[in-house]
Amino acid sequence: MTQSYDFMTNCLLLQNKFDRFIMNVLLTGSGGREHALAWKIARSPLLNRLFIAPGNAGTAQAGCNTPIGVNDFAATGRFALQEDIGMIVVGPEEPLVGGIVDYFAAHPELKHIPVIGPPAQGAQLEGSKDFAKEFMLRHGIPTAAYRSFTVGQETEAQDFIRSLPPPYVLKADGLAAGKGVVIINSQEEAFTALREMFSGRFGAAGRKVVIEEYLSGIELSVFALTDGENYLLLPEAKDYKRAGEGDTGPNTGGMGAVSPVPFAGKEFMEKVETRIVRPTVEGLRRDGIPYKGFIFFGLISVNGDPMVIEYNVRMGDPETEAVIPRIESDLLELLQSVADGTLNRQTVMVSRQAAATVMLVSGGYPGSYEKGKPISGLASAADCILFHAGTADNDGQAVTAGGRVMAVTAMAGSMEAALDRANVSAGTIGYEGKYFRRDIGFDLKQGG
Ligand code: AMP
Ligand code: GLY
Protein backbone atom coordinates (compact mmCIF):
# COMPACT_ATOMS: atom_id res chain seq x y z
CA MET A 1 0.00 0.00 0.00
CA THR A 2 1.35 3.42 -0.86
CA GLN A 3 -0.08 6.64 0.40
CA SER A 4 -0.06 10.15 -0.97
CA TYR A 5 -1.86 13.28 0.05
CA ASP A 6 -4.48 15.08 -1.96
CA PHE A 7 -4.24 18.76 -1.00
CA MET A 8 -7.40 19.57 -2.93
CA THR A 9 -9.62 17.33 -0.84
CA ASN A 10 -7.43 17.28 2.27
CA CYS A 11 -7.41 13.51 2.17
CA LEU A 12 -5.00 10.65 2.19
CA LEU A 13 -5.07 8.87 -1.14
CA LEU A 14 -4.61 5.15 -0.83
CA GLN A 15 -3.31 3.33 -3.83
CA ASN A 16 -2.89 -0.42 -3.97
CA LYS A 17 0.44 -2.03 -4.69
CA PHE A 18 -0.60 -3.26 -8.15
CA ASP A 19 -1.71 0.24 -9.13
CA ARG A 20 -5.11 -1.32 -9.77
CA PHE A 21 -7.81 1.18 -8.98
CA ILE A 22 -10.70 -1.07 -8.28
CA MET A 23 -13.28 0.34 -5.95
CA ASN A 24 -14.07 3.35 -3.82
CA VAL A 25 -15.70 2.38 -0.54
CA LEU A 26 -17.77 4.43 1.87
CA LEU A 27 -17.93 3.18 5.45
CA THR A 28 -20.46 4.80 7.78
CA GLY A 29 -20.05 5.25 11.53
CA SER A 30 -17.58 6.77 13.96
CA GLY A 31 -16.59 4.31 16.69
CA GLY A 32 -13.85 1.82 17.46
CA ARG A 33 -15.72 -0.72 15.36
CA GLU A 34 -15.51 1.55 12.34
CA HIS A 35 -11.80 2.24 12.88
CA ALA A 36 -11.18 -1.53 12.93
CA LEU A 37 -13.25 -2.03 9.74
CA ALA A 38 -11.49 0.91 8.06
CA TRP A 39 -8.07 -0.40 9.12
CA LYS A 40 -8.89 -3.75 7.51
CA ILE A 41 -10.55 -2.45 4.32
CA ALA A 42 -7.60 -0.09 3.78
CA ARG A 43 -5.38 -3.20 3.47
CA SER A 44 -7.36 -4.62 0.55
CA PRO A 45 -5.76 -4.71 -2.91
CA LEU A 46 -9.28 -4.21 -4.27
CA LEU A 47 -9.52 -0.76 -2.72
CA ASN A 48 -9.02 2.50 -4.52
CA ARG A 49 -10.19 5.11 -2.03
CA LEU A 50 -11.82 4.70 1.35
CA PHE A 51 -14.14 7.30 2.81
CA ILE A 52 -15.58 7.21 6.30
CA ALA A 53 -18.70 9.18 7.23
CA PRO A 54 -18.37 10.78 9.68
CA GLY A 55 -15.38 8.80 11.09
CA ASN A 56 -13.09 9.78 13.95
CA ALA A 57 -9.44 10.73 14.48
CA GLY A 58 -8.46 7.07 13.99
CA THR A 59 -10.35 6.43 10.75
CA ALA A 60 -8.63 9.52 9.33
CA GLN A 61 -5.42 7.44 9.38
CA ALA A 62 -7.04 4.79 7.16
CA GLY A 63 -8.96 6.93 4.70
CA CYS A 64 -10.79 10.17 4.26
CA ASN A 65 -13.36 11.34 6.79
CA THR A 66 -16.36 13.15 5.43
CA PRO A 67 -18.83 15.00 7.67
CA ILE A 68 -22.07 13.19 6.82
CA GLY A 69 -24.29 11.80 9.58
CA VAL A 70 -25.06 8.07 9.47
CA ASN A 71 -28.81 8.72 9.21
CA ASP A 72 -28.58 11.30 6.42
CA PHE A 73 -29.41 8.97 3.52
CA ALA A 74 -29.88 11.75 0.97
CA ALA A 75 -26.42 13.23 1.64
CA THR A 76 -24.91 9.73 1.66
CA GLY A 77 -26.48 9.06 -1.74
CA ARG A 78 -25.23 12.34 -3.21
CA PHE A 79 -21.74 11.72 -1.87
CA ALA A 80 -21.74 8.16 -3.25
CA LEU A 81 -22.52 9.43 -6.73
CA GLN A 82 -20.06 12.30 -6.51
CA GLU A 83 -17.17 10.04 -5.41
CA ASP A 84 -18.08 7.06 -7.61
CA ILE A 85 -18.54 4.82 -4.58
CA GLY A 86 -18.66 1.11 -5.46
CA MET A 87 -19.79 -0.16 -2.07
CA ILE A 88 -21.23 1.19 1.16
CA VAL A 89 -20.45 -0.62 4.40
CA VAL A 90 -22.79 0.36 7.24
CA GLY A 91 -21.22 0.22 10.71
CA PRO A 92 -24.02 0.95 13.22
CA GLU A 93 -27.59 -0.41 13.44
CA GLU A 94 -29.60 2.79 13.40
CA PRO A 95 -29.37 3.53 9.66
CA LEU A 96 -30.13 -0.13 8.90
CA VAL A 97 -33.25 -0.10 11.07
CA GLY A 98 -34.07 3.25 9.45
CA GLY A 99 -33.90 1.71 5.96
CA ILE A 100 -30.68 2.86 4.29
CA VAL A 101 -30.60 -0.35 2.22
CA ASP A 102 -34.19 0.22 1.08
CA TYR A 103 -33.41 3.89 0.33
CA PHE A 104 -30.60 2.98 -2.07
CA ALA A 105 -32.67 0.19 -3.66
CA ALA A 106 -35.58 2.59 -4.25
CA HIS A 107 -33.57 5.27 -6.05
CA PRO A 108 -32.78 4.36 -9.70
CA GLU A 109 -29.56 6.38 -9.70
CA LEU A 110 -28.33 4.67 -6.51
CA LYS A 111 -29.56 1.12 -6.78
CA HIS A 112 -26.42 -0.15 -8.53
CA ILE A 113 -24.41 0.63 -5.36
CA PRO A 114 -24.40 -2.33 -2.97
CA VAL A 115 -25.05 -1.41 0.65
CA ILE A 116 -23.73 -4.04 3.08
CA GLY A 117 -26.44 -4.65 5.65
CA PRO A 118 -30.03 -5.91 5.76
CA PRO A 119 -33.09 -4.02 4.53
CA ALA A 120 -35.27 -2.45 7.24
CA GLN A 121 -37.39 -5.58 7.53
CA GLY A 122 -34.33 -7.75 8.25
CA ALA A 123 -32.94 -5.11 10.61
CA GLN A 124 -36.01 -5.72 12.76
CA LEU A 125 -34.03 -8.69 14.12
CA GLU A 126 -32.26 -6.01 16.16
CA GLY A 127 -34.82 -3.21 15.97
CA SER A 128 -37.63 -5.16 17.60
CA LYS A 129 -37.13 -7.74 20.34
CA ASP A 130 -40.65 -9.01 19.65
CA PHE A 131 -39.91 -9.47 15.93
CA ALA A 132 -36.70 -11.37 16.80
CA LYS A 133 -38.55 -13.61 19.25
CA GLU A 134 -41.32 -14.41 16.76
CA PHE A 135 -38.68 -15.11 14.11
CA MET A 136 -36.87 -17.57 16.40
CA LEU A 137 -40.10 -19.28 17.42
CA ARG A 138 -41.18 -19.61 13.76
CA HIS A 139 -37.86 -21.14 12.74
CA GLY A 140 -37.20 -23.33 15.75
CA ILE A 141 -34.16 -21.40 16.97
CA PRO A 142 -33.40 -21.94 20.69
CA THR A 143 -34.11 -18.89 22.87
CA ALA A 144 -35.65 -18.08 26.26
CA ALA A 145 -39.41 -18.61 26.62
CA TYR A 146 -41.22 -15.25 26.50
CA ARG A 147 -44.38 -13.24 26.07
CA SER A 148 -44.86 -9.72 24.69
CA PHE A 149 -47.19 -7.11 26.11
CA THR A 150 -48.27 -3.70 24.85
CA VAL A 151 -49.41 -0.59 26.72
CA GLY A 152 -52.79 -1.39 28.28
CA GLN A 153 -51.82 -4.99 29.12
CA GLU A 154 -50.16 -4.20 32.43
CA THR A 155 -52.36 -6.61 34.41
CA GLU A 156 -51.64 -9.50 32.03
CA ALA A 157 -47.93 -8.66 32.13
CA GLN A 158 -47.95 -8.66 35.94
CA ASP A 159 -49.72 -12.05 35.95
CA PHE A 160 -47.03 -13.41 33.62
CA ILE A 161 -44.28 -12.08 35.90
CA ARG A 162 -45.98 -13.78 38.87
CA SER A 163 -45.92 -17.08 36.95
CA LEU A 164 -42.12 -16.94 36.46
CA PRO A 165 -39.36 -17.70 38.93
CA PRO A 166 -37.00 -14.74 39.59
CA PRO A 167 -34.92 -13.07 38.30
CA TYR A 168 -37.21 -11.32 35.84
CA VAL A 169 -35.95 -10.18 32.42
CA LEU A 170 -37.82 -7.22 30.90
CA LYS A 171 -36.91 -5.79 27.51
CA ALA A 172 -38.19 -2.66 25.82
CA ASP A 173 -39.11 -3.77 22.31
CA GLY A 174 -37.27 -1.17 20.21
CA LEU A 175 -33.75 0.21 19.91
CA ALA A 176 -32.72 1.63 23.29
CA ALA A 177 -28.93 1.92 22.87
CA GLY A 178 -28.32 -1.15 25.02
CA LYS A 179 -30.26 0.33 27.93
CA GLY A 180 -33.63 -1.29 27.30
CA VAL A 181 -33.02 -4.51 29.25
CA VAL A 182 -33.53 -4.86 33.01
CA ILE A 183 -32.90 -7.97 35.09
CA ILE A 184 -34.55 -7.75 38.50
CA ASN A 185 -34.89 -10.09 41.46
CA SER A 186 -37.90 -8.60 43.20
CA GLN A 187 -41.41 -8.86 41.79
CA GLU A 188 -42.34 -5.39 43.06
CA GLU A 189 -39.32 -3.85 41.30
CA ALA A 190 -40.21 -5.75 38.13
CA PHE A 191 -43.72 -4.23 38.26
CA THR A 192 -42.18 -0.77 38.71
CA ALA A 193 -39.81 -1.31 35.76
CA LEU A 194 -42.73 -2.49 33.64
CA ARG A 195 -44.73 0.61 34.53
CA GLU A 196 -41.73 2.84 33.68
CA MET A 197 -41.26 1.17 30.30
CA PHE A 198 -44.95 1.55 29.45
CA SER A 199 -44.94 5.16 30.63
CA GLY A 200 -42.30 6.15 28.08
CA ARG A 201 -38.92 5.89 29.80
CA PHE A 202 -37.55 4.40 26.57
CA GLY A 203 -39.76 6.44 24.29
CA ALA A 204 -41.55 4.48 21.61
CA ALA A 205 -39.13 1.58 22.23
CA GLY A 206 -40.98 0.70 25.44
CA ARG A 207 -44.55 0.71 24.15
CA LYS A 208 -44.12 -3.01 23.76
CA VAL A 209 -42.27 -5.04 26.38
CA VAL A 210 -40.88 -8.55 26.06
CA ILE A 211 -40.77 -10.49 29.33
CA GLU A 212 -38.69 -13.63 29.22
CA GLU A 213 -37.30 -16.54 31.12
CA TYR A 214 -33.93 -15.90 32.77
CA LEU A 215 -31.13 -18.02 31.30
CA SER A 216 -28.09 -18.86 33.36
CA GLY A 217 -24.81 -19.48 31.58
CA ILE A 218 -21.82 -17.85 29.93
CA GLU A 219 -22.23 -15.46 27.00
CA LEU A 220 -20.35 -15.10 23.74
CA SER A 221 -20.74 -13.27 20.45
CA VAL A 222 -20.76 -15.13 17.15
CA PHE A 223 -20.58 -13.33 13.82
CA ALA A 224 -21.57 -14.39 10.33
CA LEU A 225 -21.51 -12.78 6.92
CA THR A 226 -24.36 -13.76 4.62
CA ASP A 227 -25.26 -13.02 1.02
CA GLY A 228 -28.82 -14.16 1.67
CA GLU A 229 -28.16 -17.77 0.56
CA ASN A 230 -24.74 -18.68 1.89
CA TYR A 231 -22.96 -17.69 5.04
CA LEU A 232 -19.45 -17.70 6.48
CA LEU A 233 -18.61 -17.64 10.16
CA LEU A 234 -16.16 -15.01 11.35
CA PRO A 235 -14.10 -15.51 14.52
CA GLU A 236 -16.18 -15.50 17.70
CA ALA A 237 -15.49 -13.22 20.67
CA LYS A 238 -16.51 -12.53 24.23
CA ASP A 239 -17.12 -9.00 25.38
CA TYR A 240 -17.16 -7.48 28.85
CA LYS A 241 -20.06 -5.07 29.26
CA ARG A 242 -19.91 -4.15 32.94
CA ALA A 243 -17.84 -1.13 33.98
CA GLY A 244 -16.24 -2.71 37.04
CA GLU A 245 -13.72 -5.51 37.49
CA GLY A 246 -15.20 -8.93 38.17
CA ASP A 247 -18.20 -8.00 35.96
CA THR A 248 -19.64 -5.57 38.49
CA GLY A 249 -21.11 -2.09 38.20
CA PRO A 250 -23.23 -0.54 35.46
CA ASN A 251 -23.52 -1.77 31.90
CA THR A 252 -21.41 0.04 29.30
CA GLY A 253 -21.03 -0.16 25.55
CA GLY A 254 -18.24 -2.67 26.25
CA MET A 255 -14.97 -2.56 28.21
CA GLY A 256 -12.98 -5.15 26.31
CA ALA A 257 -13.10 -8.37 24.33
CA VAL A 258 -11.16 -11.50 23.54
CA SER A 259 -11.11 -13.79 20.52
CA PRO A 260 -11.11 -16.79 20.26
CA VAL A 261 -13.33 -17.88 23.14
CA PRO A 262 -11.78 -20.95 24.81
CA PHE A 263 -15.07 -22.70 25.62
CA ALA A 264 -16.33 -22.32 22.04
CA GLY A 265 -14.64 -25.48 20.78
CA LYS A 266 -15.47 -27.46 17.66
CA GLU A 267 -18.38 -29.36 19.19
CA PHE A 268 -20.01 -26.23 20.64
CA MET A 269 -19.55 -24.26 17.41
CA GLU A 270 -21.11 -27.11 15.42
CA LYS A 271 -24.19 -26.77 17.62
CA VAL A 272 -24.15 -23.02 17.06
CA GLU A 273 -24.01 -23.53 13.31
CA THR A 274 -26.63 -26.26 12.96
CA ARG A 275 -29.10 -25.00 15.57
CA ILE A 276 -28.72 -21.25 15.17
CA VAL A 277 -26.72 -19.84 12.26
CA ARG A 278 -28.04 -22.06 9.47
CA PRO A 279 -31.70 -21.87 10.60
CA THR A 280 -31.38 -18.08 10.85
CA VAL A 281 -30.05 -17.64 7.31
CA GLU A 282 -32.56 -20.19 6.01
CA GLY A 283 -35.35 -18.50 7.99
CA LEU A 284 -34.56 -15.10 6.49
CA ARG A 285 -34.63 -16.65 3.02
CA ARG A 286 -37.94 -18.39 3.70
CA ASP A 287 -39.43 -15.18 5.06
CA GLY A 288 -38.41 -13.46 1.82
CA ILE A 289 -35.94 -11.07 3.45
CA PRO A 290 -32.93 -10.42 1.18
CA TYR A 291 -30.33 -10.07 3.92
CA LYS A 292 -26.80 -9.25 2.72
CA GLY A 293 -24.55 -8.31 5.59
CA PHE A 294 -23.28 -9.12 9.04
CA ILE A 295 -25.35 -11.06 11.57
CA PHE A 296 -24.29 -10.86 15.21
CA PHE A 297 -25.59 -13.68 17.38
CA GLY A 298 -25.56 -12.76 21.07
CA LEU A 299 -25.49 -16.24 22.55
CA ILE A 300 -25.48 -17.84 25.95
CA SER A 301 -24.18 -21.34 26.62
CA VAL A 302 -26.60 -23.06 28.98
CA ASN A 303 -24.88 -26.26 30.13
CA GLY A 304 -23.05 -26.45 26.80
CA ASP A 305 -26.13 -25.76 24.67
CA PRO A 306 -26.18 -22.42 22.80
CA MET A 307 -29.29 -20.23 22.97
CA VAL A 308 -29.91 -16.82 21.42
CA ILE A 309 -30.11 -13.84 23.78
CA GLU A 310 -30.31 -11.30 20.97
CA TYR A 311 -29.57 -10.63 17.34
CA ASN A 312 -27.74 -7.58 16.10
CA VAL A 313 -27.58 -6.69 12.44
CA ARG A 314 -24.05 -5.26 12.48
CA MET A 315 -20.72 -6.11 14.03
CA GLY A 316 -20.20 -5.77 17.79
CA ASP A 317 -18.20 -3.08 19.51
CA PRO A 318 -15.62 -3.80 21.00
CA GLU A 319 -15.74 -7.36 19.58
CA THR A 320 -14.84 -6.06 16.09
CA GLU A 321 -11.59 -4.67 17.46
CA ALA A 322 -10.60 -8.23 18.53
CA VAL A 323 -12.18 -10.15 15.64
CA ILE A 324 -11.00 -8.11 12.64
CA PRO A 325 -7.23 -8.34 13.33
CA ARG A 326 -7.59 -12.16 13.37
CA ILE A 327 -9.12 -12.26 9.88
CA GLU A 328 -6.38 -12.91 7.35
CA SER A 329 -8.66 -12.95 4.30
CA ASP A 330 -9.35 -9.81 2.31
CA LEU A 331 -12.47 -8.36 3.94
CA LEU A 332 -13.33 -6.27 0.88
CA GLU A 333 -13.27 -9.36 -1.31
CA LEU A 334 -15.59 -11.11 1.16
CA LEU A 335 -17.93 -8.11 1.16
CA GLN A 336 -17.92 -8.03 -2.64
CA SER A 337 -19.03 -11.67 -2.57
CA VAL A 338 -21.78 -10.74 -0.14
CA ALA A 339 -22.99 -8.17 -2.65
CA ASP A 340 -22.63 -10.55 -5.63
CA GLY A 341 -24.22 -13.55 -3.90
CA THR A 342 -21.04 -15.62 -4.36
CA LEU A 343 -20.06 -16.20 -0.73
CA ASN A 344 -20.07 -19.95 -1.45
CA ARG A 345 -16.82 -19.39 -3.36
CA GLN A 346 -15.07 -17.83 -0.38
CA THR A 347 -13.49 -19.02 2.83
CA VAL A 348 -12.37 -17.03 5.84
CA MET A 349 -8.73 -17.48 6.79
CA VAL A 350 -8.30 -16.87 10.51
CA SER A 351 -5.08 -16.29 12.42
CA ARG A 352 -4.27 -18.88 15.07
CA GLN A 353 -3.16 -16.04 17.31
CA ALA A 354 -5.38 -14.79 20.09
CA ALA A 355 -6.52 -11.18 20.18
CA ALA A 356 -7.29 -9.21 23.33
CA THR A 357 -8.88 -5.78 23.37
CA VAL A 358 -8.85 -3.45 26.37
CA MET A 359 -11.03 -0.34 26.16
CA LEU A 360 -9.73 2.91 27.62
CA VAL A 361 -12.61 5.04 28.84
CA SER A 362 -13.12 8.49 30.34
CA GLY A 363 -13.42 8.74 34.12
CA GLY A 364 -17.10 8.63 35.08
CA TYR A 365 -18.23 6.61 32.04
CA PRO A 366 -20.93 5.29 31.56
CA GLY A 367 -22.18 8.24 33.62
CA SER A 368 -21.08 11.81 32.92
CA TYR A 369 -17.44 12.47 32.01
CA GLU A 370 -15.24 15.29 30.74
CA LYS A 371 -13.88 15.58 27.22
CA GLY A 372 -10.93 17.30 25.58
CA LYS A 373 -8.17 15.68 27.67
CA PRO A 374 -4.85 15.45 25.77
CA ILE A 375 -3.78 11.84 25.16
CA SER A 376 -0.10 10.90 25.53
CA GLY A 377 1.97 7.75 25.12
CA LEU A 378 0.39 6.52 21.88
CA ALA A 379 3.80 5.85 20.30
CA SER A 380 4.81 3.60 23.21
CA ALA A 381 2.02 1.15 22.33
CA ALA A 382 3.76 0.09 19.12
CA ASP A 383 3.22 -3.64 19.70
CA CYS A 384 -0.54 -3.09 19.90
CA ILE A 385 -3.13 -1.85 17.43
CA LEU A 386 -4.93 1.25 18.63
CA PHE A 387 -8.49 1.67 17.41
CA HIS A 388 -9.86 5.10 18.18
CA ALA A 389 -13.42 5.39 19.46
CA GLY A 390 -14.04 8.74 21.17
CA THR A 391 -11.05 10.83 20.15
CA ALA A 392 -10.65 14.08 18.29
CA ASP A 393 -7.73 15.83 16.67
CA ASN A 394 -6.96 19.19 18.25
CA ASP A 395 -4.30 20.80 16.04
CA GLY A 396 -2.32 17.59 15.79
CA GLN A 397 -2.86 16.63 19.44
CA ALA A 398 -5.17 13.65 20.07
CA VAL A 399 -7.73 14.51 22.76
CA THR A 400 -10.55 12.55 24.36
CA ALA A 401 -13.98 13.14 22.83
CA GLY A 402 -16.21 10.40 24.20
CA GLY A 403 -16.88 7.88 26.96
CA ARG A 404 -15.11 5.03 25.25
CA VAL A 405 -11.87 6.63 24.08
CA MET A 406 -9.71 3.97 22.49
CA ALA A 407 -9.48 0.20 22.05
CA VAL A 408 -6.03 -1.30 22.65
CA THR A 409 -5.74 -4.62 20.80
CA ALA A 410 -2.83 -7.05 21.17
CA MET A 411 -2.23 -10.33 19.36
CA ALA A 412 -0.13 -13.15 20.77
CA GLY A 413 0.22 -16.91 20.88
CA SER A 414 -2.16 -17.22 23.84
CA MET A 415 -5.04 -15.23 25.28
CA GLU A 416 -3.06 -14.63 28.45
CA ALA A 417 -0.05 -13.24 26.55
CA ALA A 418 -2.31 -11.03 24.41
CA LEU A 419 -4.06 -9.72 27.52
CA ASP A 420 -0.74 -8.98 29.24
CA ARG A 421 0.47 -7.02 26.24
CA ALA A 422 -2.77 -5.06 25.89
CA ASN A 423 -2.82 -4.25 29.61
CA VAL A 424 0.76 -2.94 29.55
CA SER A 425 -0.02 -0.59 26.65
CA ALA A 426 -3.31 0.43 28.24
CA GLY A 427 -1.27 1.43 31.29
CA THR A 428 1.24 3.44 29.25
CA ILE A 429 -1.25 5.57 27.34
CA GLY A 430 -2.18 8.55 29.49
CA TYR A 431 -4.88 11.17 29.85
CA GLU A 432 -6.58 12.77 32.80
CA GLY A 433 -9.28 10.51 34.23
CA LYS A 434 -8.24 7.41 32.27
CA TYR A 435 -9.90 4.18 33.39
CA PHE A 436 -9.77 0.62 32.08
CA ARG A 437 -10.54 -2.85 33.36
CA ARG A 438 -7.39 -4.81 34.10
CA ASP A 439 -9.27 -8.12 34.32
CA ILE A 440 -10.63 -8.63 30.78
CA GLY A 441 -10.76 -12.37 30.09
CA PHE A 442 -10.66 -13.19 33.83
CA ASP A 443 -13.44 -15.77 33.60
CA LEU A 444 -11.83 -17.59 30.68
CA LYS A 445 -8.30 -18.03 32.00
CA GLN A 446 -7.11 -21.48 32.95
CA GLY A 447 -8.48 -22.13 36.42
CA GLY A 448 -10.19 -18.68 36.29
P1 AMP B 1 -29.82 -7.80 25.19
O1 AMP B 1 -29.89 -6.33 24.93
O2 AMP B 1 -31.04 -8.55 24.78
O3 AMP B 1 -28.54 -8.40 24.68
O4 AMP B 1 -29.64 -7.96 26.77
C1 AMP B 1 -28.58 -7.33 27.45
C2 AMP B 1 -27.94 -8.30 28.40
O5 AMP B 1 -28.90 -8.76 29.35
C3 AMP B 1 -27.41 -9.57 27.74
O6 AMP B 1 -26.13 -9.42 27.24
C4 AMP B 1 -27.45 -10.54 28.89
O7 AMP B 1 -26.32 -10.39 29.72
C5 AMP B 1 -28.66 -10.12 29.66
N1 AMP B 1 -29.84 -10.92 29.27
C6 AMP B 1 -30.71 -10.64 28.30
N2 AMP B 1 -31.66 -11.59 28.22
C7 AMP B 1 -31.39 -12.50 29.17
C8 AMP B 1 -32.01 -13.73 29.60
N3 AMP B 1 -33.12 -14.20 29.03
N4 AMP B 1 -31.42 -14.40 30.60
C9 AMP B 1 -30.30 -13.94 31.19
N5 AMP B 1 -29.68 -12.80 30.85
C10 AMP B 1 -30.20 -12.08 29.85
N1 GLY C 1 -20.63 -5.46 22.33
C1 GLY C 1 -22.03 -5.60 22.17
C2 GLY C 1 -22.60 -4.81 21.09
O1 GLY C 1 -21.93 -4.32 20.20
O2 GLY C 1 -23.83 -4.67 21.06
Side-chain angles (χ1 to χ4, degrees):
M1 183 76 65
T2 57
Q3 296 188 344
S4 56
Y5 201 75
D6 182 344
F7 289 96
M8 295 293 289
T9 58
N10 233 9
C11 285
L12 270 181
L13 287 181
L14 302 169
Q15 186 173 330
N16 72 55
K17 62 185 171 206
F18 311 110
D19 271 350
R20 256 188 327 170
F21 287 140
I22 310 275
M23 193 195 309
N24 295 334
V25 174
L26 173 62
L27 167 67
T28 74
S30 60
R33 167 183 52 214
E34 284 74 23
H35 188 190
L37 290 170
W39 175 88
K40 182 68 180 163
I41 291 170
R43 281 166 167 67
S44 171
L46 299 182
L47 182 74
N48 176 24
R49 296 184 70 183
L50 173 62
F51 297 91
I52 308 94
N56 62 29
T59 60
Q61 297 165 12
C64 179
N65 287 347
T66 183
I68 298 172
V70 293
N71 297 315
D72 190 344
F73 302 164
T76 306
R78 281 194 301 273
F79 184 81
L81 291 176
Q82 177 194 316
E83 296 297 340
D84 194 19
I85 297 295
M87 178 189 293
I88 297 182
V89 183
V90 181
E93 63 277 12
E94 223 188 312
L96 295 168
V97 173
I100 188 169
V101 171
D102 313 72
Y103 180 91
F104 272 69
H107 285 75
E109 73 282 15
L110 297 175
K111 69 175 187 208
H112 66 283
I113 305 172
V115 182
I116 302 298
Q121 198 194 356
Q124 286 297 296
L125 279 184
E126 177 166 0
S128 164
K129 305 272 186 201
D130 184 52
F131 178 93
K133 284 296 208 180
E134 279 186 9
F135 177 88
M136 288 186 267
L137 204 62
R138 187 160 63 244
H139 299 293
I141 296 164
T143 189
Y146 82 104
R147 278 186 61 190
S148 309
F149 301 92
T150 46
V151 173
Q153 293 183 303
E154 198 170 319
T155 315
E156 290 93 321
Q158 287 185 350
D159 286 344
F160 185 61
I161 289 172
R162 281 194 198 94
S163 76
L164 294 172
Y168 308 102
V169 183
L170 276 67
K171 302 184 174 186
D173 180 59
L175 285 186
K179 297 183 181 69
V181 176
V182 293
I183 298 176
I184 298 176
N185 273 312
S186 115
Q187 228 173 57
E188 278 313 311
E189 283 173 29
F191 293 163
T192 308
L194 180 71
R195 214 166 300 129
E196 277 182 22
M197 284 185 177
F198 279 158
S199 72
R201 178 169 146 203
F202 298 101
R207 267 207 274 279
K208 199 184 257 183
V209 174
V210 167
I211 302 177
E212 67 179 36
E213 164 199 18
Y214 178 81
L215 299 175
S216 180
I218 184 159
E219 290 178 57
L220 82 159
S221 307
V222 167
F223 303 96
L225 257 180
T226 181
D227 60 10
E229 293 279 337
N230 315 285
Y231 66 86
L232 287 174
L233 284 185
L234 304 178
E236 78 287 351
K238 184 173 195 302
D239 80 337
Y240 292 81
K241 291 199 178 87
R242 306 292 284 274
E245 290 180 2
D247 284 344
T248 56
N251 262 325
T252 69
M255 297 295 294
V258 295
S259 175
V261 178
F263 70 82
K266 192 161 176 283
E267 195 191 338
F268 180 81
M269 289 307 288
E270 267 169 20
K271 290 184 196 169
V272 169
E273 223 178 312
T274 54
R275 298 179 191 177
I276 293 170
V277 179
R278 207 172 293 151
T280 298
V281 173
E282 182 57 28
L284 286 164
R285 206 182 54 77
R286 272 204 243 145
D287 290 350
I289 300 175
Y291 193 122
K292 288 172 178 283
F294 294 99
I295 312 178
F296 169 156
F297 303 85
L299 305 183
I300 186 162
S301 168
V302 181
N303 300 320
D305 287 320
M307 299 184 76
V308 178
I309 291 266
E310 65 163 349
Y311 286 110
N312 293 309
V313 297
R314 35 92 190 163
M315 287 298 287
D317 198 348
E319 291 98 322
T320 307
E321 292 93 306
V323 164
I324 285 287
R326 293 190 62 227
I327 298 178
E328 290 173 346
S329 308
D330 178 355
L331 181 62
L332 193 48
E333 189 179 326
L334 293 175
L335 294 175
Q336 186 60 53
S337 284
V338 167
D340 294 344
T342 55
L343 214 48
N344 54 325
R345 297 194 207 142
Q346 300 284 353
T347 51
V348 182
M349 301 294 290
V350 176
S351 164
R352 298 173 73 93
Q353 289 207 308
T357 298
V358 171
M359 190 62 80
L360 303 180
V361 306
S362 297
Y365 173 79
S368 61
Y369 53 83
E370 291 178 17
K371 297 183 189 178
K373 309 293 182 194
I375 306 170
S376 64
L378 296 180
S380 63
D383 61 352
C384 289
I385 315 170
L386 302 179
F387 294 121
H388 293 235
T391 67
D393 183 282
N394 191 353
D395 277 340
Q397 166 67 55
V399 297
T400 65
R404 290 196 290 177
V405 173
M406 191 175 288
V408 181
T409 296
M411 308 260 300
S414 69
M415 183 184 78
E416 287 78 2
L419 283 164
D420 286 346
R421 190 172 292 171
N423 280 321
V424 168
S425 290
T428 315
I429 295 168
Y431 56 86
E432 195 187 316
K434 180 187 76 174
Y435 171 72
F436 66 99
R437 270 181 67 171
R438 290 164 202 276
D439 72 336
I440 298 305
F442 76 98
D443 53 341
L444 300 176
K445 288 181 179 171
Q446 293 289 332

